[in-house]
């Protein structure tokens, strides 16, 4: 059978990785896919990369500057979109779909923001949009959630899904350095981009979490309802205190189905989180990614690997290419649905506002070291029905009139904690803004 014809948009790190993996493992890939997978055309706006590529492969595979030419080429069966960002990616993907082509993409921002429109367009045209590489790079988490765990009711997912921030947090903890110093080092080593905003402010993680949440709970992608908080204001002091109490701080993406008494809905949140140091995920260090899934039949499962990089991400892109090649001639009604659930079985369960989220807290208060301070604070917590799990007070130095008071709470409702925090902050003996970090046992 003739090899399936692929058009590759973007010759950056992942594009080049995809090219090399397809070439190096072509015999295995053909054996698994049932036919060859051939890059038939490439689109790259960067003239230097295009020239280098052409020098490597010769003139047999044309490289065009205008990606529209590629998506309009009738010889192409699958378009691989690896340019990232919302535009022009959205326009190109929708045009490829309109032209009846399958799409493989690594673009989490595009799917988190416009997934509903894109999946609907694909369904109408009977084509597939595959996106394993969009979440946690080389970890096959989409396949696991959509197929491997399909028997289960998923309860929650918690993931380290941004390598840059995990690298920064690991260095802050390991070397006792502050955020700004480690960020500069991460940029020097190429882990963090020159504009690191999307990574350090939690946006990249929230894009990925939004996609996983939709698949886990059969709800539309709703990035606009995600709570997004990054690590840029995290202080080395809190990492140190957390460690003394047996916890690590990780930037987690958490999505959980909440049911029973109280608010019903889905939590969708990215923020720094204390987790017990004994959990496997707490020991995921450097730029690695990991996702824990709690589901009713299987229990807890953990997926670990590289969340970025040329060949780890290419591994996911090529897996999608093999999947789509196998499905190419299949009846569209018998394919795995884009978001795991059939379109008529999607749920309208709401995403919960943060005030209704249940979680525990780490609080650090700088307080005057005088009688009655601790009791006033604990009284406020008790009056808001918030139960204390542990208290740690730094011994004051000679002549020092203030100290750090660390409190760990049991689970509560975030809105209740916000009210208690406002009252505590108003006490004259609380001398600085209270640091508040959420805490999860992940049990
Ligand atoms: N910038 C991301 C990270 C990789 O640091 O994990 C691509 O999503």
């Amino acid at each position: 059978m003739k090899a399936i014809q692929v058009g590759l948009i973007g010759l950056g790190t992942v594009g080049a990785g995809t090219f090399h993996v397809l070439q190096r493992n072509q015999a295995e890939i053909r054996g698994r896919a049932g036919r060859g997978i051939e890059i038939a055309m490439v689109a790259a706006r960067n003239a230097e990369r295009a020239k280098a590529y052409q020098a490597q492969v010769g003139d047999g595979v044309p490289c065009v500057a205008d990606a529209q030419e590629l998506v309009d080429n009738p010889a192409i069966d699958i378009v691989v979109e690896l340019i990232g960002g919302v535009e022009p990616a959205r326009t190109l993907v929708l045009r490829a779909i309109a032209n009846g082509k399958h799409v493989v993409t690594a673009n989490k921002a595009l799917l988190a923001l416009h997934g509903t429109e894109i999946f609907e367009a694909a369904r109408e045209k009977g084509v597939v949009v595959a996106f394993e590489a969009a979440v946690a790079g080389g970890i096959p988490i989409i396949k696991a959630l959509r197929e491997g765990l399909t028997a289960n009711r998923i309860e929650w997912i918690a993931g380290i899904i941004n390598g840059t921030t995990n690298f920064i947090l690991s260095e802050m903890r390991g070397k006792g350095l502050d955020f700004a110093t480690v960020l500069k080092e991460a940029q020097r080593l190429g882990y963090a981009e020159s504009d690191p905003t999307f990574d350090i402010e939690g946006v990249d993680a929230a894009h990925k979490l939004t996609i996983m949440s939709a698949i886990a709970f059969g709800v539309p992608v709703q990035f606009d309802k995600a709570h997004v908080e990054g690590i840029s204001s995290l202080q080395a002091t809190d990492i140190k205190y957390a460690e003394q109490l047996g916890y690590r701080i990780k930037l987690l993406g958490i999505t959980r189905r909440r049911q029973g008494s109280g608010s019903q809905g889905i939590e969708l949140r990215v923020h720094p989180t204390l987790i017990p140091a004994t959990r496997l995920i707490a020991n995921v260090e450097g730029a690695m990614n990991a996702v824990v899934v709690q589901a009713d039949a299987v229990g807890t499962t953990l997926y670990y690997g590289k969340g970025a990089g040329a060949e780890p991400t290419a591994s996911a892109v090529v897996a999608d290419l093999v999947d789509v090649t196998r499905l190419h001639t299949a009846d569209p009604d018998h394919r795995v649905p884009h978001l795991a659930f059939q379109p008529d079985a999607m749920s309208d369960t709401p995403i919960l506002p943060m005030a209704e989220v249940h979680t525990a807290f780490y609080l650090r208060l700088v307080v005057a070291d005088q009688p009655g301070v601790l009791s006033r604070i604990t009284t406020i917590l008790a009056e808001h029905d918030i139960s204390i799990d542990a208290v740690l007070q730094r011994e004051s130095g000679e002549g020092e009139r203030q100290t750090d008071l660390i409190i760990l709470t049991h689970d509560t409702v975030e809105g209740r904690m916000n009210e208690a925090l406002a009252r505590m902050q108003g006490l004259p003996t609380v001398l600085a803004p209270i640091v508040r970090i959420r805490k999860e046992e992940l049990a």
Side-chain angles (χ1 to χ4, degrees):
M1 200 189 290
K2 182 175 175 265
I4 201 146
Q5 303 294 292
V6 174
L8 181 64
I9 306 178
L11 266 185
T13 311
V14 181
T18 301
F19 186 82
H20 287 127
V21 171
L22 272 177
Q23 212 170 35
R24 191 171 71 236
N25 297 340
Q26 58 181 291
E28 277 97 338
I29 290 167
R30 189 184 312 108
R32 290 174 177 143
R35 62 195 280 198
I37 298 176
E38 216 169 78
I39 295 186
M41 192 174 199
V42 172
R45 274 202 300 206
N46 182 317
E48 240 167 71
R49 279 191 196 147
K51 215 165 115 200
Y53 162 82
Q54 211 84 71
Q56 208 182 339
V57 301
D59 291 332
V61 180
C63 183
V64 295
D66 181 4
Q68 206 161 297
E69 204 179 311
L70 184 153
V71 299
D72 288 343
N73 181 342
I76 301 293
D77 302 306
I78 309 174
V79 169
V80 178
E81 181 274 303
L82 297 176
I83 49 177
V86 171
E87 286 295 352
R90 175 178 158 272
T91 305
L92 289 168
V93 163
L94 287 172
R95 191 162 170 133
I97 293 169
N99 287 339
K101 298 179 195 312
H102 304 291
V103 173
V104 172
T105 178
N107 193 331
K108 53 232 127 197
L110 176 65
L111 296 179
L113 273 72
H114 299 284
T116 302
E117 175 191 27
I118 288 168
F119 297 138
E120 180 56 24
R123 201 175 63 81
E124 271 171 23
K125 278 305 257 188
V127 297
V128 178
V129 175
F131 51 93
E132 184 65 70
V135 181
I139 305 175
I141 189 64
I142 301 298
K143 192 95 174 164
L145 288 171
R146 216 161 55 171
E147 299 178 51
L149 299 178
T150 201
N152 291 263
R153 196 172 159 79
I154 291 174
E155 292 161 7
W156 54 260
I157 299 174
I160 294 172
I161 43 181
N162 182 268
T164 306
T165 44
N166 202 49
F167 172 81
I168 293 173
L169 292 177
S170 300
E171 292 288 294
M172 284 176 76
R173 186 179 74 80
K175 299 182 179 162
L177 297 171
D178 65 22
F179 172 80
T181 308
V182 178
L183 174 62
K184 273 198 207 106
E185 178 68 357
Q187 284 172 316
R188 196 183 62 77
L189 292 171
Y191 283 115
E193 317 227 0
S194 50
D195 177 0
T197 314
F198 264 37
D199 289 323
I200 64 173
E201 297 306 345
V203 180
D204 174 76
H207 286 149
K208 296 165 184 167
L209 182 71
T210 299
I211 297 169
M212 288 199 287
S213 179
I215 292 173
F217 303 122
V219 293
V221 284
Q222 297 165 81
F223 175 72
D224 57 330
K225 304 221 175 96
H227 173 83
V228 189
E229 209 177 302
I231 62 164
S232 55
S233 55
L234 204 64
Q235 297 177 42
T237 313
D238 296 304
I239 295 179
K240 206 177 69 203
Y241 280 132
E243 189 138 45
Q244 283 176 24
L245 289 158
Y247 290 84
R248 299 261 165 93
I249 300 181
K250 294 289 183 187
L251 182 70
L252 286 193
I254 299 171
T255 185
R256 173 184 281 133
R257 191 201 312 255
R258 193 149 288 287
Q259 51 205 350
S261 61
S263 310
Q264 318 258 320
I266 292 165
E267 297 179 358
L268 185 63
R269 48 192 172 105
V270 171
H271 50 71
T273 315
L274 268 78
I275 47 178
T278 49
R279 299 274 177 271
L280 280 174
I281 193 169
N283 294 282
V284 170
E285 297 285 30
M288 300 304 281
N289 281 201
V291 181
V292 181
V293 182
Q294 179 71 32
D296 68 340
V298 72
T300 311
T301 52
L302 170 69
Y303 308 83
Y304 169 82
K306 289 189 176 154
E311 295 213 356
T313 312
S315 164
V317 169
V318 174
D320 276 348
L321 282 172
V322 171
D323 250 2
V324 175
T325 301
R326 291 180 185 135
L327 294 168
H328 183 51
T329 49
D331 170 1
D333 289 338
H334 291 92
R335 293 177 183 151
V336 180
H338 289 111
L339 293 178
F341 289 76
Q342 300 294 344
D344 60 4
M346 295 286 284
S347 153
D348 58 3
T349 310
I351 305 295
L352 290 172
M354 277 310 274
E356 290 174 34
V357 156
H358 285 244
T359 186
F361 288 89
Y362 159 101
L363 307 176
R364 174 165 59 86
L365 299 91
V366 179
V367 293
D369 196 2
Q370 61 190 53
V373 171
L374 181 59
S375 97
R376 253 169 250 131
I377 288 163
T378 56
T379 302
I380 292 175
L381 289 170
E383 283 171 2
H384 288 83
D385 204 20
I386 297 168
S387 174
I388 294 171
D389 185 25
V391 178
L392 175 75
Q393 185 177 320
R394 181 176 59 80
E395 202 177 343
S396 320
E398 188 73 23
E400 211 184 352
R401 305 173 70 118
Q402 66 179 54
T403 188
D404 291 344
L405 179 64
I406 316 298
I407 299 175
L408 299 184
T409 75
H410 286 292
D411 265 7
T412 183
V413 181
E414 176 139 341
R416 210 182 285 161
M417 177 53 89
N418 291 342
E419 287 167 17
L421 278 171
R423 280 186 60 198
M424 289 190 276
Q425 194 67 73
L427 294 172
T429 45
V430 172
L431 306 175
I434 301 171
V435 173
R436 182 264 320 249
I437 305 174
R438 298 172 187 89
K439 172 173 95 67
E440 296 280 340
E441 291 301 315
L442 300 184

